Amino acid sequence: MAEEDQEQNPLERIDNEGERLISFTKRRNSIYKNASEISILCNTDIGILIFSPSGKPFSFGSPHMEAIANRFFRRDDPAPNDPTANLLEAQRRASIEESNRTHDELAAQLYHLRKEGERLAKARVAIEDECWWESPLEELTPQELEHLTQAMELLKVAALRKEQELLARNPPPPPPPSNNQTTQQHSE
């Protein structure tokens, strides 16, 4: 399928300088990502050197570009029986494995946090739907306003009944005498 697409749309130089720079940056990052994945998955050393359209050099190396270049130009591949090189290589591989484990753990945590966020968002929407009466009046539909009015009338009736029950059980104390009544009682 990819070959068919290439035959139908041959690659051509991008004439617009801005579009060419954007394409270069995106494709460069994609190459780096793929190189990093190959290095990790296949346990290989990789070095990439790219020059931008303006001539600026960009490099990617795993473990690092200097080691790759030294190995390529001088054939600095350490002897298989070199204990120091073997120790460094083992340490490098252990570091990569630990980084991969950490990455996997963080990716799993992120996945679970996103799922929890989705669950909480759904719960919030459900609560907002259930508590529509707490919305500003301007946001309520005519049916919701009618429902709210009826509910408030029922609440008022229930509150008045409760007040009457409480007053019947515990009548309020008589009001204190006013100054006029106190004066009349003393004068008699």
Side-chain angles (χ1 to χ4, degrees), residues 14-161:
I14 301 172
D15 292 327
N16 181 298
E17 188 174 338
E19 290 176 10
R20 189 169 50 241
L21 183 60
I22 290 170
S23 180
F24 170 78
T25 302
K26 286 181 181 178
R27 290 173 185 255
R28 182 192 70 218
N29 291 337
S30 177
I31 288 171
Y32 288 172
K33 180 181 175 210
N34 288 333
S36 176
E37 289 174 0
I38 290 171
S39 175
I40 292 167
L41 293 173
C42 301
N43 197 25
T44 61
D45 295 339
I46 294 180
I48 297 175
L49 179 63
I50 304 173
F51 288 92
S52 72
S54 64
K56 183 176 178 181
F58 291 90
S59 65
F60 172 86
S62 176
H64 51 83
M65 195 61 189
E66 184 179 347
I68 300 296
N70 287 340
R71 187 171 169 191
F72 181 78
F73 288 115
R74 289 190 242 141
R75 304 281 186 218
D76 279 350
D77 201 8
N81 295 329
D82 182 359
T84 305
N86 291 337
L87 182 61
L88 289 174
E89 180 63 21
Q91 185 179 12
R92 181 185 75 83
R93 291 184 198 286
S95 175
I96 289 172
E97 288 174 10
E98 179 62 28
S99 294
N100 286 340
R101 274 193 298 277
T102 302
H103 172 268
D104 292 345
E105 290 171 6
L106 291 174
Q109 288 177 5
L110 179 61
Y111 173 80
H112 291 297
L113 288 173
R114 284 185 177 157
K115 287 296 183 187
E116 180 67 9
E118 291 171 6
R119 187 190 67 73
L120 290 173
K122 287 178 183 176
R124 183 181 49 81
V125 168
I127 289 171
E128 287 174 356
D129 288 346
E130 290 176 12
C131 302
W132 54 265
W133 57 85
E134 292 179 0
S135 300
L137 293 176
E138 299 81 28
E139 295 178 8
L140 296 178
T141 66
Q143 294 84 5
E144 291 171 334
L145 282 171
E146 178 63 29
H147 188 81
L148 180 62
T149 303
Q150 291 172 359
M152 291 177 86
E153 289 172 3
L154 291 173
L155 179 62
K156 181 179 178 183
V157 169
L160 288 173
R161 265 194 222 131

